[in-house]
Each structure stands twice: as structure tokens, then as C-alpha cells.
Amino acid sequence: MKLKPYGFILSLFSAAKAPPKPAMAAPSLAQTSANFHTSAPPEPPQDLDDDLLCSDPQAQGREPTDDASPFPNGSPGRCLSAGSRAERAWAHWAELGRPKLIVAPMVDNSELPFRMLCRKYGAEAAYTPMLHSRIFTETEKYRSTEFTTCKEDRPLFVQFCANDPDILLEAAQRVESYCDYIDINLGCPQRIARRGNYGAFLMDNLPLVKSLVQKLALNLNVPVSCKIRVFPKLEDTLNYARMLEEAGCSLLAVHGRTRDEKDGKKIRADWLAIKAVKNALSIPVLANGNIRHMDDVESCLKETGADGVLSAETLLENPALFAGYRTADWIVGSEESHKDGHLDQAELLVEYLKFCEKYPVPWRMIRSHMHKMLGDWFKIHPQVRDELNAQSKLTFEFLYGLVDKLKDLGLRIPLYIKDEDVVRISANGSAT
């Protein structure tokens, strides 16, 4: 069987108990997460064209390729000793190829077309955007627009935010056949997470966190992963990580900043804390924070001992990061050892748009990526950015035309790669 990015959702979720909704745009997380415990999500505005899908969701699709569970005998959390759980966690990680270069979960930004673009340029695994577990169980429209995948979209982590173990399990069971991990978001530091009582604000209620992990570990046929932030005190972080592993977590991603350290550009992630977590656990550990280019990847893996790295914000500006490309900001001081990579963000954006035509997503996601990938270009020609902002209803014709307009203005901002000849000469101690 092959996997449909949209069509399969309809049959997958046909057993949903939620009553049918009127045809309208799917509610966004920003509109609904603050009301996590209400009986139904608030209705979105009726005039938001950006919440509409960018094209016909039935245009492309495949059926599932394999219904077999990655754990034929059940999740590693089921009635196994700690040693056996760790062995099975590592066996699963090895079966996936031990991916090291991973697209981090990003609300409205790590959707299927963007994941596929990053995979084309070196990403070895990826997370979905954070999905709201309650809305996912209640609203078919939300499910069909916010979660999509395809055969080539593996290994895949599907991430949920939650504060109710039963609701989380119901949401997870709907997608477990289409991913390699169900991930629990325990790291979102935004105010909306505080209001909704999820993400990093569950650090104040560790018994609840433990119950979320245990519920999934004991009932799913795929492993459970968690993504966390660190506590201000290292010992608290280590106790937290050990608790998650004991509860049944099979892989832990650690963002090396605290809940209050939200500005990743001003505050460096604590790689020493990630290293301490790695040394304290017996399951795979991923590092998140300070990944701007491949030199950072190598340094992070070496300094933390982590089994892989996650990148978020930098990938949004440069989806080719994992293929060795970097923006001009990250060659300052080493210009002589880098050269034009014959690739730029406008070309990457065109590739992204083509993925969107194949795998439809809401226009709001596309608009966001336009601003991220072309941010430097818009600084030089702000009138083109203003034209994008003024366009209430987007079309692919308009967006391709916008890229052409930037090119017609004579603008090109290249991405750079290392000049291996210069690097080789420098390594040999010869003059360049």
C-alpha cells in the first residue's frame, strides 16, 4: 500500500466521534490553544484566505506502504526492564539509520513541503509542527490540514502538545501507523503554552508529565520521544531526564535553554547541560540549540556526545543548511575559505512552492516561509515585501511572479559553501 498525503486522512479519521463541522478554514494553534480545556475550539474568522489550502488536496496521494509496527511486540514501555527498554530504543534508532541531521518541530513551519525541501538538502529526519492533541481528536478539518505526510517523509516524528493522557493517546493512535515516533512537546516556552498549560509549563507538574509518557509507552505500537528544555539547575534537569526515561521515553531531544531563555539569537544554548543529560541516560539523546551551519553541527556532536542535532530558525532562512550551505552572515571572518555555492534562497523558495503544489498546505504557512527565506532580499527591496503583504489572497502565479520581480531588479544573494581547495591548503600549512 502507498501513502496519501491528504486522501488517506479521510479514511484514517472516519471513526472520529466529533460532530461534522461547517466547511471553513481550519483553526490555527494560535486561535485555539489558549482554550485547551474547553469543549470545542473557537470558530475561526470566515475571511482568512491564508487558512485555505493552496490547491486541491486530492490532486496527489499514495496509500500506506507498510502497516507493520516498528515494534512488532509493542512499545518498549510495555512490561520490560529498563535495560530491555533501552536496548529496544537503540535497535529502533539503528533501524532508522541513526539520523544525525534533523528538522526541529516548528509551529506552522515544519509542514510537509518544507520537510521535503530540507530532506532534499541533507536532512535525515524531521518533526511535524506541534499539533494540539485535543483539537486533533475533535476536529476533522484540523487533522486533514495540519497533519500530512507521504511515503518519502521518513523518519518522521509527529509531535503533540497535551495535558490529558487519554486525549493524547487518542490523538497519537490516529497517526502512529504513519510515523516513527510520537513526540510530546515539553519545551514550548511561549505565553500561549502557559495559558494552555502545556509545553515547558508542564515542568511545574512532573507527575502529569510522567503520566503522559507512561500512557503512550504502555499503549502505542511506536516509541515515545520527548522534547524538553533544561531547568536552571543541572541536577533538576538530570532528574527530569531520568524520570522521562523511566516512564518509557525512548528518545529525548534537549533544547539547551531554560523556559525563560526565549531569544535564541542572544542566549547561547548550554551544550554542557546536554552533554550531562547524554551521559546520564541510556537512550538516544538529540541536541537542540546553536546550530547555524555545519561547523556548528560537528562541534555540537563532539562537545555533547549527542546522537543527532535539531535545527529550527536557521533552517527557515536556509533550508539547505544540512547540505553545507550557509548565508553570508556565517562566513564573516572566513570569506577566503568559502565560495559561491551557485544556489540562493529565491531558488530554494521556488523549489518549496513546487512541493506545495504537490502537497497542499494552508496559504498562511507559505506566506510565512516567503518572509523567512526572502528576508534579506526584502531588506534591499522593501517595496516587493510590501506588495506581498498587501496581497490578501495568494496564488502560485503571484508568488512565482514575485520571485521573478526580485531577479529582474538584478538582485542575487548567494548561499556559500566551503572552498575545499583552500581548506586543504590551509590544513597543510601552506600559503593560500
Side-chain angles (χ1 to χ4, degrees):
M1 291 172 40
K2 298 181 179 178
L3 188 64
K4 285 186 179 179
Y6 282 85
F8 84 92
I9 300 287
L10 300 178
S11 60
L12 177 63
F13 301 133
S14 60
K17 298 180 180 179
K21 302 288 183 182
M24 62 180 66
S28 67
L29 288 174
Q31 294 166 317
T32 53
S33 295
N35 302 297
F36 201 103
H37 287 297
T38 59
S39 59
E43 303 295 348
Q46 299 295 311
D47 57 350
L48 291 182
D49 287 332
D50 272 10
D51 275 343
L52 300 177
L53 288 178
C54 63
S55 58
D56 180 7
Q58 302 298 332
Q60 298 286 337
R62 297 185 180 90
E63 296 293 336
T65 54
D66 189 357
D67 290 329
S69 163
F71 286 106
N73 297 316
S75 167
R78 293 181 178 176
C79 304
L80 294 173
S81 67
S84 298
R85 288 199 303 268
E87 288 174 6
R88 295 184 69 178
W90 277 107
H92 181 61
W93 188 241
E95 185 178 346
L96 297 177
R98 298 177 180 266
K100 285 184 167 56
L101 310 175
I102 302 167
V103 180
M106 295 171 278
V107 172
D108 274 358
N109 282 149
S110 60
E111 80 290 356
L112 177 57
F114 187 74
R115 296 196 301 269
M116 295 304 292
L117 178 63
C118 291
R119 289 180 191 277
K120 178 178 178 180
Y121 286 95
E124 298 169 349
Y127 286 72
T128 67
M130 180 189 75
L131 301 171
H132 191 295
S133 60
R134 181 185 58 77
I135 303 172
F136 198 83
T137 62
E138 292 179 353
T139 312
E140 182 176 329
K141 186 71 174 180
Y142 179 84
R143 294 193 294 268
S144 64
T145 57
E146 303 301 316
F147 171 69
T148 58
T149 188
C150 65
K151 181 179 66 175
E152 298 82 8
D153 186 31
R154 306 293 282 268
L156 179 65
F157 295 73
V158 176
Q159 186 184 78
F160 288 101
C161 66
N163 56 26
D164 183 298
D166 293 325
I167 292 174
L168 175 59
L169 177 61
E170 182 181 350
Q173 287 176 327
R174 293 177 183 269
V175 299
E176 64 175 326
S177 297
Y178 302 92
C179 65
D180 302 285
Y181 289 93
I182 296 295
D183 187 77
I184 306 175
N185 182 321
L186 300 173
C188 180
Q190 303 304 321
R191 283 179 295 177
I192 197 165
R194 180 193 293 273
R195 293 197 300 270
N197 188 34
Y198 62 81
F201 296 94
L202 295 185
M203 296 167 77
D204 298 328
N205 189 347
L206 296 188
L208 174 58
V209 171
K210 184 176 182 179
S211 70
L212 293 171
V213 178
Q214 287 179 326
K215 189 72 171 185
L216 296 190
L218 292 172
N219 291 281
L220 292 181
N221 291 314
V222 294
V224 183
S225 61
C226 298
K227 188 170 185 293
I228 66 170
R229 285 188 172 236
V230 298
F231 281 92
K233 294 182 179 180
L234 178 59
E235 192 57 37
D236 291 337
T237 300
L238 297 180
N239 289 336
Y240 185 30
R242 292 187 187 104
M243 181 269 287
L244 292 170
E245 180 179 5
E246 291 169 1
C249 177
S250 293
L251 178 145
L252 185 65
V254 184
H255 189 147
R257 296 182 178 93
T258 68
R259 186 171 67 191
D260 296 327
E261 295 173 337
K262 301 174 186 177
D263 192 337
K265 293 185 177 180
K266 293 182 179 179
I267 302 172
R268 296 282 294 172
D270 186 350
W271 285 357
L272 291 178
I274 298 174
K275 178 180 180 179
V277 171
K278 170 61 183 173
N279 291 337
L281 301 188
S282 56
I283 57 175
V285 172
L286 306 179
N288 186 194
N290 305 346
I291 302 300
R292 303 158 300 180
H293 43 69
M294 286 302 292
D295 287 349
D296 286 339
V297 172
E298 295 174 9
S299 297
C300 182
L301 292 174
K302 181 178 180 180
E303 293 184 28
T304 65
D307 302 290
V309 300
L310 279 64
S311 181
E313 289 297 324
T314 304
L315 273 178
L316 293 179
E317 298 175 9
N318 172 23
L321 181 159
F322 289 141
Y325 293 88
R326 62 180 77 189
T327 59
D329 291 343
W330 305 118
I331 67 166
V332 175
S334 59
E335 291 89 345
E336 71 285 348
S337 63
H338 289 81
K339 62 182 181 180
D340 188 332
H342 302 293
L343 181 69
D344 62 46
Q345 288 147 306
E347 292 169 325
L348 288 171
L349 180 61
V350 169
E351 292 189 66
Y352 168 72
L353 292 176
K354 291 186 182 299
F355 276 120
C356 290
E357 290 188 87
K358 185 176 182 180
Y359 305 113
V361 293
W363 284 110
R364 71 175 189 275
M365 298 181 183
I366 299 175
R367 189 185 291 272
S368 175
H369 284 296
M370 291 283 295
H371 282 284
K372 289 289 187 180
M373 280 190 242
L374 296 182
D376 289 338
W377 303 57
F378 287 159
K379 289 176 183 177
I380 299 173
H381 292 294
Q383 75 278 9
V384 182
R385 178 195 59 213
D386 293 342
E387 187 177 343
L388 171 62
N389 291 340
Q391 189 75 11
S392 61
K393 186 172 184 178
L394 297 180
T395 65
F396 285 111
E397 181 182 8
F398 171 79
L399 296 177
Y400 286 127
L402 207 68
V403 175
D404 290 339
K405 182 172 292 188
L406 287 171
K407 293 180 179 179
D408 291 343
L409 289 168
L411 179 60
R412 180 174 181 271
I413 305 176
L415 294 171
Y416 296 87
I417 58 174
K418 280 191 175 182
D419 188 330
E420 295 302 332
D421 290 336
V422 173
V423 172
R424 193 178 304 110
I425 292 172
S426 300
N428 291 333
S430 303
T432 59

